[in-house]
Structure formats: structure tokens, C-alpha cells
Amino acid sequence: MVPQQRTNPSDQGPAEHELRVVAIGGGTGLSTLLKGLKRYVMTPALDAANQTAISELCGVVTVSDDGGSSGRLRKEFNMLPPGDVRNCIVALSEDEALLSRLFQHRFQKGSGLEGHSFGNLFLAALTSITGDFGEAVRLSSEILLTRGHIYPATTSSVELEAEFEDRSEKRRVGKECRSRW
């Protein structure tokens, strides 16, 4: 969707009330922000009320998670970690009922399934089918009818490193290191 462009700043019209928003981050913060911004994405009702609205909403999601289901899928399938991306897709979903709940469903038992969320497995399957994590994200967003676009921050496998006050270093910084910060 391309917002209308004003050629003259004094022009009046719909473009005056439209915003393009890009949010960058990861973890719980980005998905929470996107869920809040979603209600301001242009709809016929907002357009008719001539209210300021977001004409284009994008989330750029970090892909450095190495714990839990995401870490397991990352290691086993050599793919980008899907968890934060999944949460952002769900946050922008039109359907907050069944499909969103399905994507967030976490298996409580089952050999190999325990701890995985359905959405992470879905993204892993689509990545395997398409050969492209970004395309898997795009297709998942279409299925959940998102009110915006989600993009991984990189398509490269990245690992966080930390250097602590005692000059010790830690590769693949995960949950065990967060308590030291």
C-alpha cells in the first residue's frame, strides 16, 4: 500500500492525516507496541472520520534469540529464530481469536514437540517449503491477515556476545547471562 503523496505542503487531503510507521526491536516490547499501533492503521472508519491514521505499519524484528523453542529450531534446522517474529505477526493479526491463539499455542507434552509453539513450527515448515525465512514470514502474515508488514532485521544468522566487567566474554548470550547485567 503506497500512501498518497502531497506535492505541495499546503495541499489538503487524505495524505495530511496519514502516517508511515516503522518500529524496530524484539522480544515482548515490539509485539506489544505493534499491537497498540495496529488499531490506528487506516480503515474505512478512520478514513471517513478524517482522523490521523497509519497508512503503512512495519515491524523490523531482531533475530538473535537462541533460547527455548526458537533456539531449538535455529539449531536443528539452521534457520532464523521464529519466536519474536511470530509474536509480531500475531500482534498485527486481524483475527485475535482462533488463528492467533493457534499460532501462540505451546505444546505441553510430546516427544520433540514439548515447548514448541505451533506458530514457530509453522514458520519452520514454511521456511523449509519456500527456502526463504522472509517469504515464510510474508506468507504467514497473509494467512493471519496482518494490518502491517513484518521483516526480520537480517537474513544472516547472528549471535550476541557480551563482555563483562571482569573482562570475561560470553558468546551466544542467552538467559543465563541476563542476570549478570
Side-chain angles (χ1 to χ4, degrees):
M1 178 160 123
V2 178
Q4 293 180 336
Q5 300 293 318
R6 288 186 286 167
T7 54
N8 182 341
S10 64
D11 286 351
Q12 299 296 314
E16 183 177 335
H17 299 286
E18 294 179 6
L19 302 171
R20 296 158 104 186
V21 178
V22 176
I24 303 170
T28 307
L30 181 59
S31 58
T32 302
L33 175 65
L34 291 173
K35 186 171 184 166
L37 289 172
K38 171 178 74 174
R39 64 185 124 160
Y40 298 103
V41 172
M42 182 61 74
T43 62
L46 283 176
D47 193 29
N50 204 27
Q51 293 182 344
T52 299
I54 297 171
S55 62
E56 189 170 0
L57 177 59
C58 298
V60 179
V61 186
T62 59
V63 286
S64 56
D65 191 3
D66 64 357
S69 172
S70 287
R72 286 168 52 199
L73 291 171
R74 180 180 185 171
K75 189 183 306 180
E76 291 175 31
F77 295 101
N78 194 31
M79 65 178 285
L80 293 175
D84 291 343
V85 170
R86 178 200 78 238
N87 287 332
C88 291
I89 291 170
V90 169
L92 289 181
S93 174
E94 277 289 334
D95 168 32
E96 292 189 23
L98 185 58
L99 276 177
S100 292
R101 286 180 37 224
L102 179 63
F103 261 62
Q104 295 293 60
H105 174 75
R106 194 167 297 276
F107 293 93
Q108 300 301 313
K109 58 185 177 180
S111 179
L113 284 177
E114 185 175 3
H116 281 299
S117 71
F118 174 81
N120 284 1
L121 296 174
F122 189 87
L123 281 165
L126 271 177
T127 300
S128 178
I129 290 168
T130 64
D132 182 343
F133 184 74
E135 180 66 3
V137 171
R138 188 188 70 73
L139 292 170
S140 296
S141 296
E142 279 185 20
I143 291 166
L144 266 72
L145 301 173
T146 60
R147 293 174 94 184
H149 305 282
I150 300 297
Y151 301 102
T154 181
T155 56
S156 299
S157 180
V158 295
E159 293 180 352
L160 297 181
E161 289 187 22
E163 182 179 315
F164 300 102
E165 287 178 355
D166 66 2
R167 307 300 263 179
S168 64
E169 293 183 6
K170 172 75 176 175
R171 279 185 66 81
R172 295 192 60 159
V173 177
K175 291 180 183 176
E176 71 277 0
C177 292
R178 291 189 184 123
S179 63
R180 291 180 65 180
W181 294 339

